[in-house]
Amino acid sequence: MRVREAAIDDAHAMSGVLREIVAHTGRERKADPTFVISNYINHPRGVRCTVATDEQQNVIGFQSLLRAWPKNPYGVPLEWGIIGTHITPHAHRRGVGSALFSATRLAAETARLPKIDAYIGADNEAALRYYEAIGFQTYRELDDVVQKAYTVQSPIL
C-alpha cells in the first residue's frame, strides 16, 4: 500500500470508492468526481487530502482534513480540523485507515490544529470503532450522530 497526497487525477477513482461505500451501506451520498474535487481535493478550507493505493496503484481509500469554517454544519469550533475517512469495503481491516491517519495527523500537527473532529452516524459501528482505535474520544452525542475529537500534539520545533 502507498499513501500520498490526492491529486485532481484521483477524482474519478475517489468517486468510485464513494460509490462502493454507497452500494455496501445503502447510505446515500454524493459521489461524482466534481463533488470529490470541490469537497475533498480542492476544498477552500482543505489542509490535506490523502489517498491510499494498492499494489496496482488503485485508490482503495482516502481521508480529508479541513480547517473548520464559520457556521459549518457540524458545529465544530473554528480552530479545529474536520476529518472524513472513506475506504472501499473490500479493503477494510487491512491497515488503510491507520496509514491514512498517519499522514493526516502529521498535516494537522503542521497546521497547528488543536483538535480534529469526526462527525459519525450513530449507526456506523465500523467508523465509531475505527476512530476510537486511533485515539478519538466522544465529546458530543446527538440523536443520530456521534462526534469524536482527537487532540493533536504540537510538533517539536
Side-chain angles (χ1 to χ4, degrees):
M1 172 182 8
R2 181 173 174 234
V3 174
R4 61 174 171 74
E5 191 161 357
I8 296 293
D9 291 345
D10 294 314
H12 184 71
M14 292 165 68
S15 173
V17 168
L18 292 175
R19 286 192 308 276
E20 289 176 20
I21 293 169
V22 168
H24 181 75
T25 65
R27 289 186 183 101
E28 285 299 318
R29 66 167 17 129
K30 289 185 177 183
D32 61 273
T34 301
F35 174 81
V36 168
I37 291 168
S38 65
N39 285 272
Y40 300 117
I41 299 171
N42 280 345
H43 192 285
R45 301 289 288 181
V47 175
R48 180 175 170 112
C49 185
T50 305
V51 295
T53 59
D54 65 13
E55 298 78 24
Q56 292 77 37
Q57 302 308 308
N58 298 310
V59 174
I60 56 175
F62 65 95
Q63 191 166 70
S64 67
L65 178 62
L66 309 174
R67 188 178 298 275
W69 58 95
K71 299 181 183 176
N72 65 76
Y74 316 106
V76 175
L78 286 179
E79 62 275 7
W80 287 25
I82 299 171
I83 195 171
T85 305
H86 311 281
I87 300 169
T88 185
H90 70 268
H92 284 183
R93 315 249 352 124
R94 291 186 15 207
V96 177
S98 295
L100 288 167
F101 190 63
S102 290
T104 298
R105 184 178 52 242
L106 180 59
E109 291 170 0
T110 302
R112 300 195 180 286
L113 299 174
K115 292 189 182 279
I116 303 170
D117 172 89
Y119 189 89
I120 309 157
D123 63 342
N124 190 343
E125 293 179 25
L128 292 168
R129 283 192 308 270
Y130 163 71
Y131 283 110
E132 191 81 22
I134 60 173
F136 282 69
Q137 296 180 340
T138 300
Y139 75 94
R140 184 185 300 154
E141 294 185 52
L142 307 170
D143 289 338
D144 56 351
V145 171
V146 175
Q147 284 183 268
K148 292 184 176 287
Y150 178 87
T151 301
V152 178
Q153 302 299 317
S154 297
I156 299 172
L157 299 176

